[in-house]
Amino acid sequence: MTLRIDVITVFPQYLTPLELSLLGRAQESGLYELHVKDLRDHTHDRHRTVDDTPYGGGPGMVMRPEPWGEALDQVLARGEAEPVIIFPTPSGVPFTQALAEEFAERSHLVIACGRYEGIDARVAEHYRALAEVREVSIGDYVLAGGEAAALVMIEAVVRLLPGVLGNSQSASDDSFAPGRAPGTELEGPNYTKPPSWRGMEVPEVLLSGDHARIRSWREEESRVLTQQRRAEA
Ligand code: ADE
């Protein structure tokens, strides 16, 4: 089944990079479908208002629930099987390769991109009863809105779909791929031609043609790198 992704945002143009390169080709080939919806099409006042001041005080603005309710109802009314609604937020669960793999198995992802100080909390609560809701963070830093996070998640998910990567670029050796042994999550260095560049040689083992030696060399490089960069302090 073709994966359908709906993105709801106040900046539909933010998603245009998805027309490029690997993801653009995947869309053209029908390997996944992307539908971007403007949240402001679900406002009914002259100023197309989507935000308001927070109850309880505090800085910034919060997105009002009504436009989100209308937009999400319309997307869910399509009746696609088992939708997942993803709310990108710095207070979400970490987005990982495992979560990308999980989303790549689904048939309908709806990404609700908040701006400002986020979306009125009743929206996620309401839809929890109607769909699977995931609040997801792409890292411990704060973006101006969920759109960049949506781009990141869509790219990570779509490249895992069957047919998107060619055989020669399988995702199975990637850093964080599910088959990697514990302690070797990070993929080590790669080399190509020429064998000698600015006095630096490609490691001899990679030219040896001995696949068992190459495999164990790569595993050791990966172990050292993972230890250096990801050891718990
Ligand atoms: N929105 C703002 N910051 C974010 C983050 N780190 N991850 C996901 N969505 C966000």
Side-chain angles (χ1 to χ4, degrees), residues 5-6 12 32 38 51 61 69 75-77 87 111 122 125-126 136 141 143 155 178 183 197 211 216 218 221 224:
I5 304 179
D6 284 276
Y32 92 108
D38 188 340
D51 61 340
M61 300 289 267
V75 166
L76 295 184
F87 291 95
I111 310 183
R122 289 170 291 183
E125 193 181 323
H126 172 75
V136 180
Y141 39 77
L143 303 167
E155 183 160 322
W197 180 72
H211 297 292
S216 66
R218 283 191 169 141
E221 290 290 314
V224 169

Side-chain angles (χ1 to χ4, degrees), residues 4-208:
R4 175 183 172 108
I5 304 179
D6 284 276
V7 179
I8 308 170
T9 169
V10 287
F11 293 119
Q13 281 173 308
Y14 213 116
L15 284 297
T16 54
L18 296 174
E19 290 163 19
L20 302 173
S21 184
L22 187 83
L23 273 83
R25 282 196 301 276
Q27 222 180 310
E28 277 167 26
S29 326
L31 298 172
Y32 92 108
E33 272 180 40
L34 178 70
H35 300 269
V36 181
K37 185 189 233 341
D38 188 340
L39 182 71
R40 289 193 204 275
D41 292 345
H42 297 279
T43 57
H44 302 286
D45 63 312
R46 206 155 53 84
H47 301 290
R48 315 222 310 154
T49 310
V50 293
D51 61 340
D52 216 320
T53 52
Y55 277 123
M61 300 289 267
V62 175
M63 295 186 103
R64 295 174 61 105
E66 308 97 312
W68 283 107
E70 254 195 52
L72 285 164
D73 283 352
Q74 195 177 87
V75 166
L76 295 184
R78 299 190 49 80
E80 307 276 339
E82 300 180 1
V84 186
I85 307 178
I86 302 165
F87 291 95
T89 164
S91 49
V93 299
F95 184 65
T96 58
Q97 189 66 17
L99 201 47
E101 304 263 355
E102 191 187 323
F103 289 160
E105 299 286 318
R106 307 297 296 242
S107 55
H108 190 201
L109 304 178
V110 181
I111 310 183
C113 300
R115 285 253 138 193
Y116 321 113
E117 295 299 309
I119 304 172
D120 185 299
R122 289 170 291 183
V123 175
E125 193 181 323
H126 172 75
Y127 286 98
R128 246 181 256 288
L130 306 172
E132 194 174 326
V133 167
R134 301 292 191 89
E135 289 164 290
V136 180
S137 166
I138 63 160
D140 290 345
Y141 39 77
V142 178
L143 303 167
E147 287 78 8
L151 290 176
V152 166
M153 291 190 272
I154 293 169
E155 183 160 322
V157 168
V158 169
R159 66 186 286 285
L160 296 174
L161 299 175
V164 173
L165 296 182
N167 284 339
S168 61
Q169 357 157 227
S170 147
S172 61
D173 295 338
D174 287 344
S175 290
F176 311 112
R180 298 187 78 95
T184 68
E185 284 81 2
L186 304 188
E187 188 183 354
N190 288 304
Y191 301 86
T192 185
K193 290 170 252 323
S196 177
W197 180 72
R198 299 195 178 180
M200 290 181 285
E201 310 303 319
V202 170
E204 174 279 326
V205 56
L206 297 177
L207 311 176
S208 69

